[in-house]
Amino acid sequence: MKDALRELIHGALATLRAQQTLPDAVTPSFVVERTRNREHGDFACNVALTLAKLAGRKPRDIATAIVAAIDDPRVERIEIAGPGFINFFLGAAALHAEMASILDRGSSYGRNASGEGRKVQIEFVSANPTGPLHVGHGRGAAVGDSLARVLDANGWAVTREFYYNDAGAQIDNLALSVQSRCKGIEPEQDGWPADGYRGDYIKDVARDFLAGRTVHADGQDVRASGDAEDIDSIRRFAVAWLRREQDLDLRAFGVEFDVYFLESSLYSEGQVEHTVRELIAAGHTYEKDGALWLKTTDFGDDKDRVMRKSEGGYTYFVPDVAYHEGKWRRGFERVINEQGADHHSTVNRVRAGLQALDVGIPEGWPEYVLHQMVTVMRGDEEVKLSKRAGSYVTLRDLIDEVGRDATRYFLVARKTDSQLIFDIDLARAQTNDNPVYYIQYAHARVCSVHRQLAERGLATATSAGLGALHRLDSEHERALMSELSRYPEVLEAAAANLDPQLVAQYLRELAAAFHGYYNAHQFIVDDGVLRDARIALADAARIVLCNGLDLLGVSAPESM
């Protein structure tokens, strides 16, 4: 309905120009938004305020002229408030038309083409292949995948990418940890690596390596040599073993990727060296104290950064710059990185490095969505350890404990810049206090009504129900229709703000509106026309609940 109101306003402006009430050259930008208090209307618009200076007239005079030029049956009345805000009160016809659109479009309702098929890449999770995925990775997976679904629903051509840090000191520590286990050395014994990984999963990797097993990861088979002295084979096998385990965890979470990119390929294919040569050629580097520095202060950083250390080897942000230059050359005009808040310090460095390449990458590219930490609670106690991981709670622990649906919803239900408390007891509860249960139960209730109709041998006619929506004039019915009509706006806002929690919040509010309606009215009544109208409204709620849950990767059960 917001788009319809914008069209009405543009039409009114065109009329006023034709009447020479407004200058021909005036093309204002304005906002149509929902009011916080329905006493002020359903929507408010600031067009008269933005026009005042351009047209050289008082805002209220312009608002009066615009209101006089609008005549549409979907608008019950229009009021002018304050200095010149225009408040629109929708009529029943507008809500009825929206219900018809929901039932007609079904699973496509709310989707739009604002992205125009442009390419966007979303990189998320990107965990080091050194252990099982923890709950922080899980939050990144839930947010990243939901964001990908939201942008897809807004018409973007989305590519999901996972970046594997399969090079560097952490991988060396992994290989040494597995080698020590292969030799029978325990974490508490002499000879264990100082920075070794202590979880039980290291024992599992060592067992399979010694047995000469083969693991399939990232489209290739990696076979263990079985030789405890073969550190190169141990390294390759351990990385592949853990990549496979992480992939199994993600599949259990309902997350799949289009591209898996290996950090090691940046070195083996010469991309890091190529990027460094480009930075030197662009004139943004200098030598000092035997090290190679990048003049990141030229691009907003607080100090210049070392690229190549005096003792040799590149600092960690250099391969990140090379990696992102590759993204740009792959044709992604938009790139979004969903990462933990601990990556905050790398944002300016990577952007500065990309600007220093002088290859046309715009400022503020890539975009970042950074999530805060997750604390897992059971009762009043924090859950800190997983026996398998040894030092943290794994994503698989949560999935096994509360199920995929609850895990995904809870991990996306707060803004990413807020710390998240994951309450295991609440996530398991089959009560209205559990938001996942509450939302899914609303969907299941509509399905239950249809089963009851079938048991009684009663049929429904959607067209007849739509034609009788005027019979639905109670406060609960109007509130539900109004809430349903918000869905396209929520979907647009979630994409614009890169904030899928807006969908989670909306679904809870929609479920509340539906439960209120369901508890206040009987659906299966003797009056067939009224019955059809109520079933049509309930079906509209079922469709929107299902569509919204799908954006979060949460199922919409037919019974509970």
Side-chain angles (χ1 to χ4, degrees):
M1 193 59 210
K2 181 189 286 189
D3 291 339
L5 289 175
R6 289 185 64 86
E7 290 177 10
L8 288 177
I9 294 166
H10 279 298
L13 295 176
T15 298
L16 296 180
R17 291 191 196 98
Q19 296 172 349
Q20 298 185 336
T21 304
L22 290 176
D24 287 340
V26 172
T27 54
S29 75
F30 58 87
V31 175
V32 177
E33 57 187 358
R34 291 213 176 237
T35 60
R36 295 183 179 179
N37 185 342
R38 196 174 174 275
E39 291 181 2
H40 301 149
D42 294 288
F43 290 90
C45 181
N46 66 343
V47 63
L49 300 174
T50 62
L51 263 174
K53 188 173 182 179
L54 295 171
R57 298 180 59 186
K58 294 180 179 179
R60 286 189 69 91
D61 291 343
I62 296 173
T64 300
I66 291 172
V67 170
I70 294 177
D71 182 18
D72 190 282
R74 294 171 295 181
V75 179
E76 188 173 83
R77 73 179 191 276
I78 308 175
E79 294 179 354
I80 301 171
F85 287 101
I86 301 175
N87 293 341
F88 293 88
F89 293 78
L90 300 183
L95 295 176
H96 297 170
E98 200 68 21
M99 298 310 102
S101 178
I102 296 171
L103 293 170
D104 176 60
R105 295 188 60 189
S107 61
S108 68
Y109 177 72
R111 299 180 70 91
N112 63 74
S114 60
E116 299 177 332
R118 288 172 289 170
K119 293 174 63 175
V120 58
Q121 184 223 58
I122 304 178
E123 180 206 330
F124 58 106
V125 183
S126 294
N128 296 332
T130 54
L133 298 178
H134 55 61
V135 293
H137 297 135
R139 190 176 192 188
V143 172
D145 188 58
S146 296
L147 184 55
R149 292 167 185 249
V150 165
L151 289 173
D152 175 76
N154 279 270
W156 288 85
V158 180
T159 297
R160 296 165 168 85
E161 183 151 318
F162 190 121
Y163 178 70
Y164 273 112
N165 299 95
D166 64 332
Q170 292 185 354
I171 301 301
D172 291 339
N173 289 332
L174 171 67
L176 291 172
S177 302
V178 174
Q179 184 179 52
S180 296
R181 282 289 192 180
C182 287
K183 293 180 177 181
I185 302 173
E186 300 286 335
E188 296 77 19
Q189 295 177 335
D190 291 341
W192 185 261
D195 296 317
Y197 295 96
R198 297 168 172 264
D200 282 356
Y201 66 93
I202 295 296
K203 188 189 305 181
D204 298 335
V205 179
R207 179 199 62 220
D208 286 354
F209 178 82
L210 291 173
R213 300 269 172 94
T214 298
V215 295
H216 184 82
D218 195 31
Q220 60 181 339
D221 291 327
V222 177
R223 184 173 182 178
S225 70
D227 180 1
E229 299 298 332
D230 190 349
I231 192 67
D232 289 334
S233 178
I234 290 174
R235 181 184 291 104
R236 288 192 301 272
F237 182 81
V239 168
W241 196 98
L242 285 163
R243 281 169 51 205
R244 181 196 63 184
E245 288 297 297
Q246 290 180 352
D247 188 53
L248 291 173
D249 287 348
L250 290 168
R251 288 179 184 275
F253 204 41
V255 175
E256 296 188 15
F257 290 87
D258 303 300
V259 176
Y260 291 90
F261 192 98
L262 305 183
E263 180 188 5
S264 58
S265 70
L266 294 171
Y267 298 94
S268 63
E269 297 177 10
Q271 184 59 46
V272 173
E273 291 290 344
H274 173 76
T275 297
V276 171
R277 288 195 299 270
E278 284 187 305
L279 290 169
I280 294 172
H284 296 296
T285 64
Y286 61 91
E287 298 271 355
K288 178 183 175 183
D289 299 328
L292 178 66
W293 295 70
L294 180 65
K295 290 187 273 189
T296 54
T297 50
D298 291 347
F299 305 95
D301 201 359
D302 58 342
K303 62 181 180 179
D304 292 342
R305 304 292 174 175
V306 174
M307 291 175 56
R308 187 177 59 238
K309 294 173 282 189
S310 57
E311 66 271 23
Y314 294 113
T315 54
Y316 67 90
F317 89 94
V318 176
D320 281 350
V321 174
Y323 172 47
H324 283 86
E325 183 190 9
K327 293 183 181 185
W328 176 257
R329 297 194 184 282
R330 279 188 271 160
F332 292 110
E333 64 176 275
R334 190 177 187 191
V335 166
I336 301 165
N337 293 343
E338 203 294 336
Q339 297 173 320
D342 56 331
H343 288 80
H344 183 270
S345 62
T346 69
V347 174
N348 288 338
R349 298 175 202 180
V350 171
R351 286 177 173 169
L354 293 169
Q355 290 294 299
L357 288 168
D358 292 339
V359 294
I361 297 175
E363 292 185 25
W365 191 100
E367 300 167 67
Y368 286 85
V369 175
L370 303 179
H371 67 260
Q372 291 288 341
M373 65 179 292
V374 181
T375 301
V376 181
M377 301 292 292
R378 189 193 305 274
D380 295 328
E381 296 185 1
E382 181 180 351
V383 181
K384 294 184 177 181
L385 302 180
S386 161
K387 180 180 179 183
R388 183 161 180 266
S391 58
Y392 54 82
V393 180
T394 70
L395 173 60
R396 183 59 70 91
D397 291 334
L398 281 189
I399 296 173
D400 291 345
E401 184 84 15
V402 305
R404 183 174 85 180
D405 286 344
T407 303
R408 286 197 62 137
Y409 184 92
F410 272 63
L411 289 176
V412 82
R414 287 183 61 84
K415 288 183 69 67
T416 54
D417 59 5
S418 300
Q419 292 192 3
L420 189 151
I421 303 296
F422 193 108
D423 186 335
I424 286 180
D425 293 334
L426 178 61
R428 287 171 56 93
Q430 294 189 4
T431 69
N432 290 341
D433 292 330
N434 179 349
V436 188
Y437 178 87
Y438 190 62
I439 295 164
Q440 291 180 319
Y441 186 43
H443 182 273
R445 272 184 149 177
V446 182
C447 298
S448 174
V449 170
H450 279 283
R451 287 194 295 272
Q452 294 175 49
L453 287 169
E455 290 168 1
R456 301 186 190 189
L458 297 172
T460 60
T462 300
S463 58
L466 288 173
L469 287 178
H470 63 277
R471 300 277 302 273
L472 307 183
D473 55 4
S474 73
E475 179 183 344
H476 288 105
E477 288 160 334
R478 181 182 173 89
L480 178 56
M481 284 188 266
S482 180
E483 197 66 39
L484 288 167
S485 71
R486 286 181 53 219
Y487 178 66
E489 301 158 35
V490 171
L491 188 47
E492 289 180 8
N497 295 287
L498 301 181
D499 189 7
Q501 72 89 23
L502 293 174
V503 177
Q505 176 184 320
Y506 166 78
L507 288 173
R508 193 167 186 177
E509 293 167 358
L510 175 58
F514 175 79
H515 287 306
Y517 173 44
Y518 184 94
N519 294 332
H521 298 276
Q522 286 196 356
F523 290 4
I524 305 178
V525 293
D526 293 335
D527 185 335
V529 175
L530 179 60
R531 180 174 67 236
D532 285 345
R534 287 180 175 168
I535 297 299
L537 178 54
D539 278 338
R542 174 185 56 79
I543 289 168
V544 174
L545 285 165
C546 185
N547 292 355
L549 286 168
D550 184 65
L551 293 178
L552 304 181
V554 177
S555 70
E558 296 185 359
S559 62
M560 294 179 68

